[in-house]
Amino acid sequence: GQNIDQPTEMTATEGAIVQINCTYQTSGFNGLFWYQQHAGEAPTFLSYNVLDGLEEKGRFSSFLSRSKGYSYLLLKELQMKDSASYLCAVYNTNAGKSTFGDGTTLTVKP
Amino acid sequence: GAVVSQHPSRVICKSGTSVKIECRSLDFQATTMFWYRQFPKQSLMLMATSNEGSKATYEQGVEKDKFLINHASLTLSTLTVTSAHPEDSSFYICSAARGGGRNEQFFGPGTRLTVL
């Protein structure tokens, strides 16, 4: 089976930096995804990591350590519109699908 | 590229009727499509995985006779909620995977179903 853990809620201040962690246990790992989901909308793709290290894309960066079963999503220069749920998903080759974490609800305050 | 559409975006129906939701990959061929259900303030729940031309694989606890999935082509999958009841009211989201190694899923905008 697969376990994916991420914090339920986080709060941060506009302009600040926030790190959302995700830990996982899986066999057949073949990629970790981060998605953003605003209330009432479908998820949208943010990042993809399959090798260890940091992937940077604008204000968002994602890090992966396969040996530790750990990833984080780093959001810089937070904006109010970044208030959303952030989903960590791990692709399992054996299962042929991704398993999603329960999501971290981020609230950005002025 | 990689756009997925869903139709309808919102549907209200009477209890006992059937509702069909379409999911289309508009600019790529989807080897696999996924159907999710999400209740308010809850996480995504995978209902089934479908591959073109074969039967869908349902997750444990999902009734295959109630939630009929047809993946007729590489760009179209449909979910039919048969004999809908108020407890089936939810946000239904499809996603499509392009394949080719990266396994990224592209999500449709979702369909909000309300059963009266």
Side-chain angles (χ1 to χ4, degrees):
Chain A
Q2 297 186 123
N3 285 327
I4 299 178
D5 291 312
Q6 47 182 134
T8 304
E9 294 180 334
M10 297 184 73
T11 302
T13 304
E14 191 176 15
I17 299 173
V18 70
Q19 178 175 311
I20 302 174
N21 296 324
C22 172
T23 59
Y24 64 90
Q25 295 174 316
T26 188
S27 58
F29 173 87
N30 195 20
L32 186 143
F33 301 88
W34 283 95
Y35 290 87
Q36 179 190 59
Q37 185 178 25
H38 284 102
E41 299 179 10
T44 56
F45 169 79
L46 286 179
S47 68
Y48 169 72
N49 294 71
V50 67
L51 299 177
D52 291 350
L54 187 69
E55 294 282 341
E56 297 186 78
K57 189 191 293 186
R59 293 190 299 116
F60 293 5
S61 303
S62 57
F63 172 83
L64 175 67
S65 168
R66 289 172 295 171
S67 62
K68 295 181 179 178
Y70 167 69
S71 173
Y72 68 72
L73 179 69
L74 192 71
L75 293 77
K76 304 175 186 176
E77 301 170 16
L78 280 173
Q79 302 176 8
M80 299 299 290
K81 66 178 182 179
D82 297 330
S83 292
S85 180
Y86 292 85
L87 308 171
C88 170
V90 174
Y91 188 85
N92 182 320
T93 297
N94 298 334
K97 62 186 179 183
S98 291
T99 297
F100 283 77
D102 289 342
T104 298
T105 300
L106 172 66
T107 302
V108 180
K109 296 186 174 180
Chain B
V3 179
V4 177
S5 69
Q6 257 182 266
H7 178 80
S9 58
R10 186 179 295 269
V11 58
I12 301 172
C13 69
K14 293 182 179 179
S15 185
T17 59
S18 294
V19 175
K20 180 187 281 190
I21 303 170
E22 289 188 352
C23 178
R24 293 182 185 271
S25 55
L26 298 184
D27 52 3
F28 68 99
Q29 293 188 324
T31 55
T32 307
M33 286 185 167
F34 305 88
W35 286 97
Y36 294 84
R37 181 166 56 179
Q38 188 174 37
F39 294 104
K41 298 188 178 181
Q42 294 189 21
S43 57
L44 286 174
M45 189 196 83
L46 179 65
M47 299 174 69
T49 303
S50 74
N51 292 290
E52 183 262 342
S54 61
K55 288 184 179 180
T57 302
Y58 289 80
E59 295 298 303
Q60 196 170 10
V62 178
E63 300 173 59
K64 63 177 70 174
D65 293 332
K66 179 168 183 63
F67 298 100
L68 301 178
I69 292 172
N70 185 2
H71 194 156
S73 75
L74 284 172
T75 59
L76 173 64
S77 176
T78 60
L79 167 68
T80 301
V81 183
T82 61
S83 187
H85 291 285
E87 56 265 30
D88 298 323
S89 298
S90 187
F91 191 41
Y92 291 86
I93 311 171
C94 75
S95 71
R98 187 157 43 188
R102 197 158 123 147
N103 305 310
E104 178 183 344
Q105 291 177 230
F106 301 94
F107 285 86
T111 296
R112 190 159 302 283
L113 171 65
T114 302
V115 185
L116 301 176

